């Protein structure tokens, strides 16, 4: 990614879904349960919301798919705020199988290796910094699930 080192409280859509405020505590198929969700809220530059979403999919979600395959993430998703007056436009949610989320040293090591091998894909010649910015992060811990 061309942005400053973005912590893995960041990520996008690619076939994995996650409820904006909840998590899949467990699944009947035996998939690894999500115990922590890290959310990254982004604000697009004017007129660049769709481009920012494309950037996330072409860059962050490429890494996230690999992270799911390697077992450091359980899911990832992109949400759009439909409130025109909100201070954010897009929210990326990433599920983790360990309670430390990205702070887990093993997760960091795997993700840093994946990121080092990734070549940034600009959207219409624009990097993340030209498309939008991160406005905040939230961490959600699963308390009760079913």
């Amino acid at each position: 990614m061309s942005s400053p080192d973005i912590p893995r409280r960041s990520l996008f859509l690619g076939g994995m879904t996650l409820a904006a405020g909840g998590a899949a505590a467990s699944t009947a198929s035996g998939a690894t349960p999500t115990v922590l969700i890290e959310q990254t809220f982004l604000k697009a530059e004017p007129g660049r919301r769709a481009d920012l979403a494309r950037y996330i999919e072409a860059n962050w979600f490429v890494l996230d798919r690999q992270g799911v395959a390697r077992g450091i993430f359980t899911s990832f998703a992109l949400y759009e705020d439909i409130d025109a007056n909100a201070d954010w436009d897009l929210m990326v949610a990433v599920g983790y199988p360990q309670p430390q989320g990205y702070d887990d040293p093993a997760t960091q090591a795997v993700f840093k290796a994946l990121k080092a091998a990734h070549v940034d894909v600009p959207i219409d010649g624009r990097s993340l910094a030209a498309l939008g910015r991160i406005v905040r992060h939230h961490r959600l811990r699963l308390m009760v699930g079913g």
Side-chain angles (χ1 to χ4, degrees):
M1 292 178 221
S2 63
S3 61
D5 189 45
I6 297 172
R8 226 32 208 179
R9 303 169 214 254
S10 317
L11 309 164
F12 190 91
L13 163 92
M16 308 310 240
T17 58
L18 190 64
S26 62
T27 63
S29 66
T32 304
T34 298
V35 298
L36 184 87
I37 297 171
E38 297 198 14
Q39 299 174 316
T40 299
F41 295 82
L42 300 104
K43 183 71 174 174
E45 291 297 322
R48 297 284 174 208
R49 184 183 292 209
D51 292 339
L52 179 57
R54 287 177 42 218
Y55 180 89
I56 292 168
E57 186 167 19
N59 291 284
W60 291 9
F61 282 3
V62 167
L63 297 170
D64 294 346
R65 280 184 197 92
Q66 295 173 24
V68 168
R70 299 281 301 271
I72 61 169
F73 307 141
T74 58
S75 58
F76 55 94
L78 178 66
Y79 295 90
E80 178 180 33
D81 190 334
I82 56 175
D83 178 358
N85 297 316
D87 67 340
W88 61 277
D89 296 315
L90 302 174
M91 185 270 290
V92 175
V94 178
Y96 290 83
Q98 68 282 347
Q100 302 89 354
Y102 183 74
D103 293 340
D104 177 70
T107 296
Q108 287 184 8
V110 171
F111 186 76
K112 286 179 182 179
L114 295 173
K115 186 176 173 184
H118 178 72
V119 176
D120 191 66
V121 177
I123 302 301
D124 296 331
R126 292 179 173 87
S127 67
L128 176 61
L131 298 171
R133 68 189 189 291
I134 295 171
V135 295
R136 70 179 168 274
H137 299 283
H138 287 252
R139 300 178 89 193
L140 304 171
R141 180 181 58 226
L142 180 66
M143 294 188 67
V144 178

